[in-house]
Structure formats: structure tokens, C-alpha cells
Amino acid sequence: RTSRSCSHVQPRRTMSTSFLEAAVLRAADVQAAPRAADAQAAPDLTILSWNILAQRWADKCFADGEYPLATAHDILWSNRCPRIVAELLASTADVILLQEVDAAAFNELLPKLTGYDGLHQKGNTHPCNATFWKPRLSLVWAQHRSRTLSTVLHDGQAKASVAIVNCHLEGCPSASLKRVQQLQSALEGVRHAGSLQAPHASLVLAGDFNSTAEGAVAAYLSFGSVPQGTREAWGLAGSTAVPDEACAVAAHAYQLQSVYGLDDPRAFSFAPSGRSGWHGLLDHVWYDGRHLRCVSRRQLVASEAHLDALLTMGMPSAASPSDHLPCGATLRWSGDAATAACAPACAAPTDSSPTPEQLLAEAAELLANALPSEALRAEWVSVTTPPPPCKGKPPAEALAAIAAQRARKEDLLAQASPEARAMLLRVQSLQKEARKAASRPTAEQQRAKQQATQAKVQKKAAAKAADIAGWCFAPLDIAELASAAQEAVDDHWLWHRAGRQSGKTPLEPMPSSATKAAGLHVTVLLRVHECGARL
């Protein structure tokens, strides 16, 4: 999707945050608008995403023959890491999103990426995602999921926050449903955070999607949901139909645009076998176009010679330290970024959740189109309505009734046409969403609970501060008190030393006054130490 005449990566001289001269303007919808004359204009936000190939997978795939053109030298991390670091530093991107980063690689990369802070995805024993950002950005919020690392970063210069979703979606070519569900889960988490603790003006998604620009992931991001008839096509197995369940995945509310689309069908970011095997575009950058626009994008290949080397030697090789190529973009805030941070348009994906009544109305409309018979519609509602909850294990009769419901539902789905089946699955999803929406607290209730929690924390902190202040500034002669307590401590040790010299420990307890003084002495010293540390 890129022209092949790009020069090697060089810092731009015309932008306050330099990116890549290798980035080219989009022919149709990306225009190189001049910078505003206002010196207060928000700086551009530059993004780079790269699957750097975890060493664990590099060794395994090389041993399994999945890199037929690679040599043992190409696979070694000691040879690949310096080239990866050099490429990342040369990009000067504001935000770097890496995939397939294990803990050892993250600990090695972070100190080498001078001028960056970083966050490694938690809760995953496999190589996962890592996000790095420049000091002008600060971390507000983060969410760690199995395949995505979501963050909200505040741009101190732009005075606005942006949500960044670092993705490495399910890798099986036929697992389009899982990829869509993983994206929906990540976007819902960001939307929920935006309505509470981490409001943001816009959103960027980037990473290894393991899906082409024609697949279910692109359709979901473009249209908000997966249209019926979408097909997934990557790998040598040809295209496969996307499951009907993917069309029923809950929609998202963002207005997303792709940096890399379909304008160059020859473009690729993944080519392990060079031109002799399948190669295609699996790495993408998407952004919410309401308050951000793309002014340039990174070229995937640097030149015709680089392209020929990649297709001849495959990846990883001397032409690329990973089996993926980095992708990236320069994004610019539309209008005033500070105003965008509070604009109603940016609140739409966070505060526009449909009510249970709206969800049920949409479900009823779809159900009427899917099942023309009133009797069939009533039966569908009956077999998809969950039984009332019960304490403990359900009785055998209840389990049998549930099994019969499921069997009848499968019969109705089997008898329906493909279009009607997709509608029925969507109806079931909407009914489930309506039940969840009815049971969850409203946004106002959640804010009230959060404010109450914050007030409680502040009250406890104020009480502790007052207590510390009392110890620090109370009119007590702490030196005199500590001296008296020290004498008691000395008596304590003399008491036990006498017992050791006689060969036995005294059976009588230490006098209570001395014990109390010794304890007070320790308390005084600990409090003085704590006050000094806090002040």
C-alpha cells in the first residue's frame, strides 16, 4: 500500500516532533495541510507499531522450517536486537507499540530506548505487548487483556488525552470470530474507562491484527459491526466465510479510519518465505477521525532494492530483523486539542451506551424480520429466556428443561436461512446486552460511587496527616522522653544478661513500667523516622 521509491529513514525537519521522511501522503483522504500559524497549535502525534518476533517463536519457527530462507545468524537475538533498537530510535516516534515482547526483551529494550517510558503487558506468560512513550506524554490509565494492552496517555503539550490500544490478535487464519471479540472487548474497556476515570479525546489502535484489510477485523472497525457475507482471506488456504456469530458481536461507537487500506494490493508487512510463499498486510494503524486526522504514514519498504531483498531473502533476514515490518503514521489534532478533549463528539463513544429499552426494541425489529410467524417468534423468545436463578445446584428437572431449550434453539437456527440465522444470533446478543444493561449501575451511579470512594480515601489521608502532625509538633520533650525510655531498655538488657550469665533465663517477667517505657521508646523512634520520611 506504499510507493516503493521511499528513501531510508531520516528525521523530518519541518515538524516539531520529527518522524519519518519515509512517510508518504495518502493519495485520496490524507492531505498535507500546513501547520497553523498559531505557536500554540498542538504538536503532531507520531505512532510506530512493530511485531519484533519473540525469540521463543523465532527459535521454534526456524526449527520447524517456517523460515526456509533464514540462516541461524538471522535468528539470533544478539544480532536482531541492535537492529531493532536502531530502527526504533531512528523513528523518533512519540508512541511505540511492540508485539511479541517477553519480559527479558522488555527489560533489555527499556534502558536502550533512551527518552522513553514503557509498560509491559501483565498477566500473560507468553510474549505479549509493550507500549513506550516520550516524556511529553504521561500514563493515566492502563488495561491488560489477553491480546491487547490499552492505555490512556495525556499529552501535556496538546492538553488532551488519547487512548492507545496495542493489539496482537489471535493468529489462526480462520479465527476471525476470536479476533473480532478481542477487539470488541478492548474497545468496550476503553469506552468504559472513558466514561469514568480516564476520559480521552480520541483513540488509536495499532498492532499485528493477523487479518488483512479485507477481513472481518477491518469490517468491524470500519462499520462498527461485521456485515453478513464478509470473508477472511490470508494464507495459502484461500478465503473462508466469517462465522455468523461474528456478525452478532456487539457494535462499537467509534468512528475509525485506517491508515493502510486497499490502495496498493501488493503491499505486505509479513513475508516469512519471501515471494515463494504467501505475503500480505497483517499490521495496521486505525484512528478515530473525529478529532485526529492522518497527515502522513510510514512506508513499509524503503526502496525497490529493499523490496527485492525482502522477497528474495524472506523475513527475518539481513533485510529485516523480524518476520513483520514496522508500520506507523503521523496524526494531527483537528482544531483545538484542548477543546476537543471536552467536545461532545468525543464523549459519544463513552456516554452513548444504548438503554435496555433501545436494545430490546432493536431485537424485536430484527426478530420480526427473521421469523415472520408470531408463533415462531414467541417460541424463540421462550427458548432464549434464561431460567430464574436458584441457590445451589439446579435440580434435575431444571437441567433437563435447559437442555431442551438449547436443543430447540439449535433446531430453529438450523431451519432458518443464513440471513435469518445471522439476525437471530444478533437478537440473542442484543437480549443479553439488555439484561446486562438493566443490571449494571448507571454512569451517574458509578461516578457517585467513585466520588464517595475518593472522599473516603481523602478523609483517611487527612486523619493520618493530622496524626503525624500531632507527633511532629506536639509540645513534648521527645529527647527527654527518649532518654528515660533508653534507661528502661538498658534495664531490660541487664535483666536478661544476668539470666544468661547464671545459665538460665529469669522466670520473673520484666517490670511492667520498664516494658512500657521500652515499647514507648521504640514507638517514638519509629514515629520520628516516619515523620522525617513523610516531611
Side-chain angles (χ1 to χ4, degrees), residues 45 137 151-155 160-164 199-204 292 333:
L45 181 69
L137 302 163
T151 55
V152 172
L153 300 176
H154 180 72
D155 190 333
S161 296
V162 59
I164 306 288
H200 49 275
S202 196
L203 170 78
V204 176
L292 286 175
W333 291 101

Side-chain angles (χ1 to χ4, degrees), residues 75 170 271 401 403 423 448 501:
I75 299 299
E170 181 65 36
M423 291 182 187
Q501 289 175 349

